[in-house]
Amino acid sequence: MNKEIVQPGAENPEELLDLKLTEPKKWAAGIPAVLAAGKDVLEKEDILRGLKGLFHMNKKDGFDCSSCAWPDPDDDRSPIAEYCENGAKALAEEATTKKLTPGFFAQNSVADLAKLNDYEIGIKGRIAQPVYLPKGGTHYQAITWDDAFEKIADKLNSLASPNEAAFYTSGRTSNEASFMYQLFVREYGTNNMPDCSNLCHESTSVALADVIGIGKGTVTLNDFYDTDVIIIMGQNPGTNHPRMLTALEKAKNNGSKIIAINPLKEAGLMAFKNPQTVKGVLGFSTQLADLYLQVHINGDMALLKAIEILLYEAEKEAPGKVFDNEFIQTHTVGYKDFIDHLQQYNLEDLAKDAGVPLSQIREVAEMLKYKSRIIICWAMGITQHTNGVDTVKEIVNLTLLKGSIGKPGAGLCPVRGHSNVQGNRTMMIYDKPYEKLLDRLKEVFGFEPPREHGYDVVESIKAMHEGKVKVFFAMGGNFLSATPDTNFTAAAMRKLKLTVNVSTKLNRGHLVHGEESIILPTLARSDKDIVNGELQFVSCENSMGVIQKSKGVLDPISVVLLNETQIVCELAKATLGNRTVVDWDKYANSYDEVRNIIEKVIPGFGDYNKRVRNPGGFYLPNAPRERKFESEKHGNKAVFTLTNLYKKTLADDEYMLTSIRSHDQFNTTIYGYEDRYRGIHNERRVIFMNIKDMEKAGFKTGEKVDLFNYFGGVERVAHLFVVVPYDIPERNTAAYYPEMNVLVPIDSVAEKSNTPTTKLVFIKIKKHTEKI
């Protein structure tokens, strides 16, 4: 068996903090959320600066929050605050006036910074100028923009093939910057464009494109306000998408039922105290989940099949009253084969595989039986599994049976995790680009874009390891902390000739690098973006396909910062030189010009500049909302899919581990050590266990343990975690990422989407062994 070397830094801690435990909450938000949001802003250096940012966040003439992609209301935006606690924390970090100057980097070596944990790294401040780490260097040092672009261009042009470079994108990147970025990369000559969607909703995009003809959800926010049943699967809105709670509250007030399906009991699925209502301020809550199913990790497929069997039995007893037969006959294919396939399963066996009592599953079926206005929401708890694509397709199967798509109050709602991650893909940030869009690029710009598929995230990491990728360019994000198999990925990145990061703040990805490393600082969403004396705005796409403008309001912390589009255009000029056919200066100086060219390439963006200036923006076309399914292969009909169960086998001393966020983080950005909803204070290295599992294993609350994974004959170790009892099914455990990412095998991925299986890792738990 091979044993990986644990890298120094946060993945191999020397000691823990002082963990405090309290009773987990049974409701989310309320006055504590207001106080927590205000605390982060008010504790920063410039209070008025922070308050100005909060006032303009998610307003129609303000800027788009840089955290989650939950949509803004079309009409009834709050006059008080259109942001959540996590949005306020995100703003506090980017609105800080703390600057990382050349003096900071001269005083702090890369090795010393790497010893800090992710929270300590993130709070250092905004990067104020480009910095460069030379080969063999120990400290980043200042570099001019021109010299930085020249070094990157020289390295790119020295490669034997453009495919020896990979260009990553984070969801923060605007539509305009994303489009120009992919244009540069493709004129350079590669489709190696891994992006954060590869890590999260790629399974959704693949599944939905296959069966309904578009890789996006089909609902609008207004659908939530007038529906019969909302099913929330593998998603924790209270922590990950807090503004969704307001929509759920409105649905409940209008008579909707909510079914929550999640292994852990989560406050944000149980009840909501709306701090913008008198009721919420007085401490009264709105119950959310009418039924809470604590499914086993990756038991969702079995659960869905059990529900479908019960509904089919009800349909046989009352033909035409349970299934929407007209919809099935008119708009779908594969129904008969689907029903035949479904009947091979046994209800009791499915309930056992799901880990949910059959009596509860019958309750779900009763709630759905005579309803068709059904919305199904899901997130990473569905997509980051080996069978993630098929589970999404099974969700679609259920909606097709009920005709719950293409009608008001019904449809599919994949809840995206990062602001504009959906917009990145719309703008052609994709390693497997569609031929029709490549044809449009060729027609509009006059060069032949590469047709060969590029590397996604997992493929890029492996290519780095094998020496096939030598330059890695990241447009935002914290690649190392977001990716699986931390030690494997770190070793891969250290084999690179050059790493480049376009960033606002310092993160661990800057500290695990290639032979040379460059950090290019850029504007944040809340920053004023002034080009040639004119205040500009960018645009983003939210989870429900709305394109809206985002205009920063805060003075940038440094006069030398460039926006992302300018960075791309300057790099393109330096790299491509006389080979280019694109007028990069025109696009660097005007987002309007970028939008003008986008509408010539990307469908649905006609009159882009005019429509994006409308208050609230505009909706992109979404054919399934009109019961049009653009699939020539299937006669433009939605497809029933035959899926199979994923079989999990646990050894006697094995557990299933799933990744979760604390309430004090957004993706890889750590805001602190508090997770008050789950009762965790002043610590992140915890593992949540069922109390019966703890007793069987001989673990006590607060005991120190190490976590082990042995996938593929490699020992992976996450050192020094603390055992905490929690309401989670037996043999199921949970821990925060990125701390647990070291256990996620690089070769354990979702079929068809290649997404890392971060939501199911098989582990063994052993009492902690002190290092000698």
Side-chain angles (χ1 to χ4, degrees):
M1 176 174 290
N2 297 318
K3 184 171 183 179
E4 289 192 346
I5 300 172
V6 177
Q7 302 291 339
E11 290 73 43
N12 191 15
E14 299 292 335
E15 60 184 19
L16 293 166
L17 301 172
D18 185 17
L19 171 65
K20 304 293 183 185
L21 299 178
T22 57
E23 191 71 20
K25 300 291 185 184
K26 296 182 178 179
W27 50 268
I31 294 301
V34 176
L35 296 176
K39 177 174 176 289
D40 281 271
V41 173
L42 295 176
E43 285 183 351
K44 298 302 179 184
E45 301 76 15
D46 190 333
I47 296 174
L48 293 179
R49 177 179 168 88
L51 292 176
K52 180 180 180 180
L54 285 179
F55 180 78
H56 287 87
M57 182 183 286
N58 295 322
K59 297 293 180 67
K60 289 183 177 179
D61 198 40
F63 61 92
D64 208 28
C65 177
S66 61
S67 51
C68 89
W70 187 253
D72 303 315
D74 288 340
D75 299 313
D76 58 343
R77 298 195 191 186
S78 169
I80 304 172
E82 197 54 66
Y83 56 85
C84 69
E85 178 182 342
N86 274 357
K89 291 175 180 177
L91 174 68
E93 289 225 342
E94 69 179 41
T96 181
T97 54
K98 291 167 62 177
K99 293 189 281 189
L100 305 188
T101 63
F104 169 86
F105 289 104
Q107 295 169 11
N108 294 273
S109 69
V110 171
D112 287 340
L113 290 170
K115 295 175 183 177
L116 304 176
N117 63 38
D118 287 353
Y119 168 67
E120 293 167 332
I121 293 170
I123 62 172
K124 291 298 182 183
R126 293 281 300 274
I127 303 169
Q129 72 293 303
V131 289
Y132 167 62
L133 182 69
K135 183 177 180 179
T138 58
H139 294 67
Y140 277 101
Q141 57 195 45
I143 187 174
T144 67
W145 282 106
D146 286 344
D147 287 347
F149 292 134
E150 183 179 352
K151 284 184 179 295
I152 300 167
D154 286 347
K155 195 68 70 173
L156 289 174
N157 287 327
S158 71
L159 299 177
S161 163
N163 290 327
E164 290 185 345
F167 298 85
Y168 177 73
T169 311
S170 161
R172 184 201 69 210
T173 307
S174 69
N175 286 344
E176 293 78 6
S178 295
F179 183 83
M180 298 309 298
Y181 187 41
Q182 67 81 30
L183 183 64
F184 159 59
V185 173
R186 291 196 164 99
E187 193 180 19
Y188 172 64
T190 185
N191 283 316
N192 287 348
M193 278 184 277
D195 72 314
C196 57
S197 185
N198 298 153
L199 299 167
C200 55
H201 265 292
E202 196 66 59
S203 295
T204 293
S205 298
V206 170
L208 295 186
D210 278 353
V211 295
I212 66 170
I214 186 173
K216 302 179 182 182
T218 66
V219 298
T220 69
L221 189 55
N222 288 335
D223 287 322
F224 279 80
Y225 304 156
D226 190 15
T227 185
D228 293 320
V229 182
I230 300 170
I231 303 175
I232 305 172
M233 306 182 69
Q235 183 210 358
N236 176 18
T239 288
N240 301 339
H241 310 90
R243 288 200 300 150
M244 182 178 176
L245 298 179
T246 304
L248 296 178
E249 179 188 47
K250 185 174 287 190
K252 289 289 292 186
N253 290 340
N254 290 336
S256 175
K257 299 293 184 182
I258 295 177
I259 301 170
I261 301 171
N262 200 63
L264 289 81
K265 275 290 183 74
E266 299 285 19
L269 289 168
M270 290 188 280
F272 173 47
K273 294 183 179 180
N274 190 338
Q276 296 199 43
T277 65
V278 173
K279 175 183 172 182
V281 170
L282 293 177
F284 296 99
S285 61
T286 298
Q287 178 191 349
L288 296 180
D290 297 277
L291 186 60
Y292 202 124
L293 280 60
Q294 285 187 264
V295 67
H296 283 182
I297 296 169
N298 201 11
D300 306 271
M301 174 74 83
L303 175 62
L304 288 163
K305 288 184 181 295
I307 294 169
E308 290 161 349
I309 288 174
L310 290 170
L311 292 175
Y312 178 61
E313 291 177 351
E315 169 67 16
K316 288 190 295 183
E317 293 177 3
K321 294 185 178 181
V322 178
F323 290 174
D324 188 336
N325 290 316
E326 181 181 352
F327 174 84
I328 292 170
Q329 292 172 11
T330 305
H331 297 289
T332 74
V333 295
Y335 171 74
K336 184 180 183 303
D337 289 342
F338 168 75
I339 292 298
D340 291 343
H341 180 78
L342 192 62
Q343 293 180 82
Q344 71 179 282
Y345 295 102
N346 175 274
L347 266 177
E348 287 73 19
D349 291 342
L350 290 172
K352 182 179 179 181
D353 284 344
V356 177
L358 185 53
S359 59
Q360 275 199 322
I361 303 176
R362 292 188 185 278
E363 285 187 68
V364 175
E366 283 297 316
M367 291 174 68
L368 300 180
K369 187 160 61 174
Y370 300 125
K371 306 294 185 183
S372 65
R373 297 192 309 162
I374 301 167
I375 295 173
I376 304 182
C377 309
W378 71 92
M380 307 300 95
I382 296 297
T383 63
Q384 290 178 331
H385 291 286
T386 300
N387 59 336
V389 171
D390 277 355
T391 303
V392 173
K393 290 183 176 181
E394 200 65 49
I395 290 172
V396 176
N397 285 341
L398 179 55
T399 63
L400 297 182
L401 290 174
K402 301 295 294 177
S404 300
I405 187 169
K407 63 191 298 183
L412 302 165
C413 183
V415 185
R416 306 281 176 171
H418 200 168
S419 176
N420 213 44
V421 62
Q422 188 162 296
N424 295 164
R425 184 59 56 87
T426 301
M427 292 294 111
M428 300 179 63
I429 298 292
Y430 193 23
D431 54 281
K432 302 173 183 64
Y434 300 109
E435 286 292 325
K436 289 183 179 179
L437 291 179
L438 293 179
D439 290 342
R440 290 297 298 151
L441 276 185
K442 180 179 180 180
E443 183 178 337
V444 171
F445 289 100
F447 70 89
E448 179 62 59
R451 305 280 171 163
E452 177 187 6
H453 287 176
Y455 295 136
D456 62 20
V457 165
V458 169
E459 291 164 343
S460 293
I461 295 169
K462 291 181 178 180
M464 294 177 202
H465 243 293
E466 296 166 6
K468 295 179 180 177
V469 164
K470 297 179 172 62
V471 175
F472 178 75
F473 189 104
M475 181 62 76
N478 182 353
F479 188 78
L480 179 66
S481 293
T483 47
D485 221 334
T486 309
N487 294 327
F488 183 92
T489 301
M493 298 195 74
R494 289 186 171 116
K495 292 183 178 182
L496 293 163
K497 297 297 183 183
L498 173 67
T499 49
V500 183
N501 287 272
V502 178
S503 304
T504 57
K505 304 186 294 106
L506 199 64
N507 66 55
R508 189 163 299 281
H510 305 138
L511 309 175
V512 178
H513 50 77
E515 289 182 359
E516 297 175 87
S517 180
I518 294 174
I519 307 175
L520 304 177
T522 192
L523 298 174
R525 285 267 181 86
S526 57
D527 291 336
K528 292 178 181 177
D529 192 345
I530 299 175
V531 180
N532 294 330
E534 182 180 347
L535 181 61
Q536 306 260 337
F537 69 85
V538 295
S539 59
C540 303
E541 178 181 347
N542 66 34
S543 239
M544 295 178 186
V546 177
I547 304 295
Q548 58 192 10
K549 67 179 180 180
S550 176
K551 184 170 67 176
V553 298
L554 303 180
D555 292 330
I557 55 97
S558 170
V559 296
V560 303
L561 299 183
L562 298 181
N563 65 48
E564 290 175 317
T565 299
Q566 290 172 320
I567 291 172
V568 169
C569 292
E570 292 301 322
L571 178 59
K573 288 162 54 181
T575 304
L576 302 175
N578 294 330
R579 307 196 308 273
T580 187
V581 297
V582 178
D583 186 349
W584 297 101
D585 285 331
K586 178 171 71 172
Y587 301 120
N589 290 323
S590 172
Y591 289 123
D592 278 352
E593 292 291 353
V594 178
R595 289 186 282 268
N596 283 338
I597 205 67
I598 287 174
E599 73 173 68
K600 293 182 180 180
V601 176
I602 311 292
F605 283 85
D607 291 326
Y608 193 175
N609 271 308
K610 178 180 178 181
R611 291 194 293 158
V612 78
R613 285 174 163 83
N614 293 333
F618 62 94
Y619 281 87
L620 288 177
N622 189 300
R625 286 180 185 155
E626 302 172 10
R627 296 194 163 183
K628 298 176 182 177
F629 304 100
E630 298 174 347
S631 172
E632 295 180 7
K633 178 181 177 182
H634 300 288
N636 291 324
K637 293 186 176 184
V639 183
F640 280 98
T641 308
L642 309 186
T643 64
N644 297 305
L645 294 178
Y646 174 69
K647 291 297 183 181
K648 307 184 290 286
T649 303
L650 288 174
D652 290 341
D653 59 345
E654 264 190 325
Y655 303 86
M656 293 183 289
L657 171 69
T658 193
S659 67
I660 56 175
R661 296 182 194 169
S662 86
H663 194 63
D664 224 359
Q665 75 178 98
F666 181 77
N667 290 347
T668 60
T669 302
I670 311 302
Y671 301 126
Y673 306 114
E674 297 295 304
D675 191 2
R676 68 175 185 277
Y677 291 164
R678 300 189 185 102
I680 305 297
H681 309 277
N682 203 40
E683 185 54 80
R684 288 186 50 83
R685 300 188 74 84
V686 300
I687 179 163
F688 296 93
M689 295 185 70
N690 183 287
I691 188 67
K692 293 180 180 179
D693 288 332
M694 290 173 57
E695 292 169 353
K696 289 176 185 176
F699 295 139
K700 298 178 181 178
T701 299
E703 186 153 3
K704 298 175 182 178
V705 296
D706 297 326
L707 314 179
F708 296 81
N709 169 270
Y710 297 99
F711 184 93
V714 175
E715 181 183 83
R716 300 171 182 83
V717 189
H719 291 280
L720 198 54
F721 278 65
V722 179
V723 175
V724 173
Y726 202 76
D727 191 351
I728 187 172
E730 291 182 61
R731 307 295 292 279
N732 291 241
T733 65
Y736 302 129
Y737 75 86
E739 288 83 354
M740 59 79 67
N741 286 6
V742 66
L743 298 169
V744 183
I746 190 70
D747 289 318
S748 180
V749 295
E751 297 169 354
K752 303 171 188 172
S753 70
N754 216 34
T755 296
T757 58
T758 312
K759 289 299 181 184
L760 175 53
V761 181
F762 296 99
I763 64 167
K764 296 187 178 184
I765 306 173
K766 302 176 184 180
K767 293 188 177 183
H768 176 62
T769 301
E770 298 290 343
K771 289 178 289 184
I772 299 175

